[in-house]
Short mmCIF file of all heavy atoms in Angstrom, two decimals:
data_model
loop_
_atom_site.label_atom_id
_atom_site.label_comp_id
_atom_site.label_asym_id
_atom_site.label_seq_id
_atom_site.Cartn_x
_atom_site.Cartn_y
_atom_site.Cartn_z
N TYR A 15 103.81 7.24 154.69
CA TYR A 15 104.38 5.98 155.18
C TYR A 15 104.00 4.79 154.30
O TYR A 15 104.76 3.77 154.10
CB TYR A 15 103.92 5.67 156.57
CG TYR A 15 104.63 6.59 157.63
CD1 TYR A 15 104.12 7.54 158.27
CD2 TYR A 15 105.96 6.19 157.85
CE1 TYR A 15 104.77 8.28 159.25
CE2 TYR A 15 106.68 7.02 158.79
CZ TYR A 15 106.12 7.96 159.41
OH TYR A 15 106.81 8.71 160.39
N ALA A 19 107.14 2.39 152.84
CA ALA A 19 106.86 1.24 153.71
C ALA A 19 108.07 0.22 153.67
O ALA A 19 108.57 -0.25 154.62
CB ALA A 19 105.55 0.52 153.56
N TYR A 22 111.24 1.82 155.00
CA TYR A 22 111.06 2.10 156.45
C TYR A 22 111.22 0.80 157.22
O TYR A 22 111.94 0.73 158.17
CB TYR A 22 109.73 2.77 156.64
CG TYR A 22 109.59 3.27 157.98
CD1 TYR A 22 109.95 4.61 158.33
CD2 TYR A 22 109.03 2.49 159.04
CE1 TYR A 22 109.73 5.12 159.65
CE2 TYR A 22 108.91 2.99 160.36
CZ TYR A 22 109.16 4.36 160.62
OH TYR A 22 109.04 4.78 161.97
N HIS A 23 110.58 -0.24 156.75
CA HIS A 23 110.58 -1.55 157.53
C HIS A 23 112.07 -2.04 157.37
O HIS A 23 112.56 -2.62 158.34
CB HIS A 23 109.65 -2.46 156.83
CG HIS A 23 109.79 -3.86 157.26
ND1 HIS A 23 109.37 -4.27 158.54
CD2 HIS A 23 110.29 -4.97 156.73
CE1 HIS A 23 109.55 -5.55 158.78
NE2 HIS A 23 110.07 -5.96 157.69
N ARG A 26 114.13 -0.44 159.98
CA ARG A 26 113.62 -0.64 161.37
C ARG A 26 112.99 -2.00 161.50
O ARG A 26 111.88 -2.08 162.03
CB ARG A 26 112.71 0.45 161.81
CG ARG A 26 113.17 1.87 161.74
CD ARG A 26 112.09 2.90 161.68
NE ARG A 26 112.68 4.27 161.55
CZ ARG A 26 113.01 4.80 160.37
NH1 ARG A 26 113.00 4.13 159.25
NH2 ARG A 26 113.50 6.01 160.35
N GLU A 52 99.97 -2.20 171.08
CA GLU A 52 100.91 -1.21 170.56
C GLU A 52 100.19 -0.43 169.54
O GLU A 52 99.64 -0.97 168.54
CB GLU A 52 102.08 -1.87 169.95
CG GLU A 52 103.09 -0.91 169.26
CD GLU A 52 104.37 -1.44 168.80
OE1 GLU A 52 104.42 -2.58 168.40
OE2 GLU A 52 105.33 -0.61 168.66
N ILE A 53 100.21 0.88 169.65
CA ILE A 53 99.55 1.77 168.79
C ILE A 53 100.61 2.47 167.82
O ILE A 53 101.43 3.11 168.34
CB ILE A 53 98.79 2.89 169.56
CG1 ILE A 53 97.76 2.13 170.45
CG2 ILE A 53 98.13 3.94 168.63
CD1 ILE A 53 97.31 3.04 171.66
N GLY A 54 100.58 2.04 166.61
CA GLY A 54 101.55 2.52 165.68
C GLY A 54 102.79 1.50 165.56
O GLY A 54 103.81 1.73 166.20
N VAL A 55 102.55 0.37 164.86
CA VAL A 55 103.52 -0.73 164.77
C VAL A 55 104.76 -0.27 164.00
O VAL A 55 105.87 -0.65 164.31
CB VAL A 55 103.02 -1.92 164.18
CG1 VAL A 55 103.97 -2.97 164.08
CG2 VAL A 55 101.79 -2.45 165.12
N GLY A 56 104.66 0.60 163.02
CA GLY A 56 105.68 1.12 162.29
C GLY A 56 106.45 -0.15 161.60
O GLY A 56 105.79 -0.92 160.98
N GLY A 57 107.84 -0.16 161.70
CA GLY A 57 108.58 -1.24 161.09
C GLY A 57 108.51 -2.49 161.91
O GLY A 57 109.15 -3.51 161.38
N GLY A 58 107.96 -2.56 162.99
CA GLY A 58 107.91 -3.72 163.83
C GLY A 58 108.97 -3.93 164.79
O GLY A 58 109.00 -4.90 165.53
N ARG A 59 109.88 -2.97 164.90
CA ARG A 59 111.09 -3.08 165.81
C ARG A 59 110.69 -3.45 167.30
O ARG A 59 111.16 -4.35 167.88
CB ARG A 59 111.96 -1.93 165.63
CG ARG A 59 113.28 -1.99 166.39
CD ARG A 59 114.19 -0.77 166.11
NE ARG A 59 113.29 0.43 166.26
CZ ARG A 59 113.74 1.56 165.80
NH1 ARG A 59 114.96 1.72 165.17
NH2 ARG A 59 113.06 2.69 166.01
N GLU A 60 109.82 -2.56 167.85
CA GLU A 60 109.53 -2.76 169.24
C GLU A 60 108.42 -3.92 169.40
O GLU A 60 108.43 -4.43 170.44
CB GLU A 60 108.86 -1.38 169.78
CG GLU A 60 109.99 -0.46 170.08
CD GLU A 60 110.53 0.33 168.91
OE1 GLU A 60 109.70 0.64 168.02
OE2 GLU A 60 111.69 0.60 168.85
N TYR A 71 100.13 -9.94 172.74
CA TYR A 71 100.45 -8.71 171.92
C TYR A 71 99.39 -8.45 170.75
O TYR A 71 99.05 -9.42 170.01
CB TYR A 71 101.81 -8.76 171.27
CG TYR A 71 102.18 -7.77 170.39
CD1 TYR A 71 102.78 -6.48 170.83
CD2 TYR A 71 101.82 -7.63 168.93
CE1 TYR A 71 103.08 -5.46 170.00
CE2 TYR A 71 102.08 -6.66 168.15
CZ TYR A 71 102.68 -5.51 168.64
OH TYR A 71 103.02 -4.40 167.86
N VAL A 74 98.36 -2.19 166.30
CA VAL A 74 97.63 -1.59 165.30
C VAL A 74 98.43 -0.57 164.50
O VAL A 74 99.31 0.14 165.11
CB VAL A 74 96.27 -0.86 165.90
CG1 VAL A 74 95.31 -1.91 166.61
CG2 VAL A 74 96.70 0.28 166.90
N GLU A 75 98.19 -0.47 163.25
CA GLU A 75 98.94 0.34 162.38
C GLU A 75 97.97 0.93 161.26
O GLU A 75 97.41 0.09 160.55
CB GLU A 75 100.11 -0.50 161.80
CG GLU A 75 100.85 0.31 160.72
CD GLU A 75 101.53 1.65 161.21
OE1 GLU A 75 102.21 1.62 162.17
OE2 GLU A 75 101.25 2.67 160.55
N PRO A 76 97.95 2.21 161.12
CA PRO A 76 97.06 2.76 160.16
C PRO A 76 97.53 2.61 158.66
O PRO A 76 96.84 2.64 157.66
CB PRO A 76 96.84 4.25 160.55
CG PRO A 76 98.11 4.56 161.29
CD PRO A 76 98.45 3.23 161.97
N SER A 77 98.94 2.54 158.53
CA SER A 77 99.54 2.39 157.24
C SER A 77 99.46 0.96 156.68
O SER A 77 100.04 0.05 157.28
CB SER A 77 100.98 2.91 157.24
OG SER A 77 101.69 2.47 156.16
N GLY A 79 100.70 -0.17 154.05
CA GLY A 79 102.00 -0.57 153.53
C GLY A 79 102.93 -0.98 154.60
O GLY A 79 103.63 -2.11 154.52
N LEU A 80 103.01 -0.34 155.79
CA LEU A 80 103.82 -0.75 156.89
C LEU A 80 103.32 -1.98 157.45
O LEU A 80 104.11 -2.99 157.77
CB LEU A 80 103.87 0.34 157.95
CG LEU A 80 104.73 1.57 157.62
CD1 LEU A 80 104.64 2.61 158.80
CD2 LEU A 80 106.21 1.23 157.40
N LEU A 81 102.02 -2.13 157.66
CA LEU A 81 101.44 -3.29 158.25
C LEU A 81 101.79 -4.52 157.35
O LEU A 81 102.17 -5.62 157.90
CB LEU A 81 99.98 -3.18 158.47
CG LEU A 81 99.25 -4.19 159.34
CD1 LEU A 81 99.76 -4.10 160.78
CD2 LEU A 81 97.74 -4.03 159.25
N GLU A 83 104.29 -5.04 155.45
CA GLU A 83 105.73 -5.39 155.66
C GLU A 83 105.92 -6.19 157.00
O GLU A 83 106.65 -7.22 157.00
CB GLU A 83 106.57 -4.17 155.64
CG GLU A 83 106.65 -3.60 154.21
CD GLU A 83 107.17 -4.46 153.13
OE1 GLU A 83 108.18 -5.19 153.37
OE2 GLU A 83 106.52 -4.64 152.05
N VAL A 84 105.38 -5.72 158.00
CA VAL A 84 105.55 -6.32 159.28
C VAL A 84 104.88 -7.72 159.37
O VAL A 84 105.47 -8.64 159.84
CB VAL A 84 104.97 -5.42 160.53
CG1 VAL A 84 104.95 -6.20 161.78
CG2 VAL A 84 105.77 -4.16 160.58
N CYS A 114 105.00 4.58 170.40
CA CYS A 114 106.26 5.18 170.16
C CYS A 114 106.26 6.13 168.82
O CYS A 114 106.08 5.40 167.82
CB CYS A 114 107.32 4.14 170.20
SG CYS A 114 109.00 4.74 169.95
N THR A 116 104.15 7.87 167.48
CA THR A 116 102.85 7.78 166.70
C THR A 116 101.92 8.94 167.01
O THR A 116 101.51 9.63 166.04
CB THR A 116 102.05 6.47 167.10
OG1 THR A 116 102.95 5.36 166.78
CG2 THR A 116 100.77 6.33 166.39
#
Side-chain angles (χ1 to χ4, degrees):
Y15 283 113
Y22 190 90
H23 173 73
R26 297 161 185 80
E52 182 176 19
I53 301 159
V55 174
R59 186 175 48 196
E60 285 78 37
Y71 175 92
V74 297
E75 173 58 55
S77 165
L80 286 174
L81 193 64
E83 292 302 311
V84 171
C114 179
T116 300

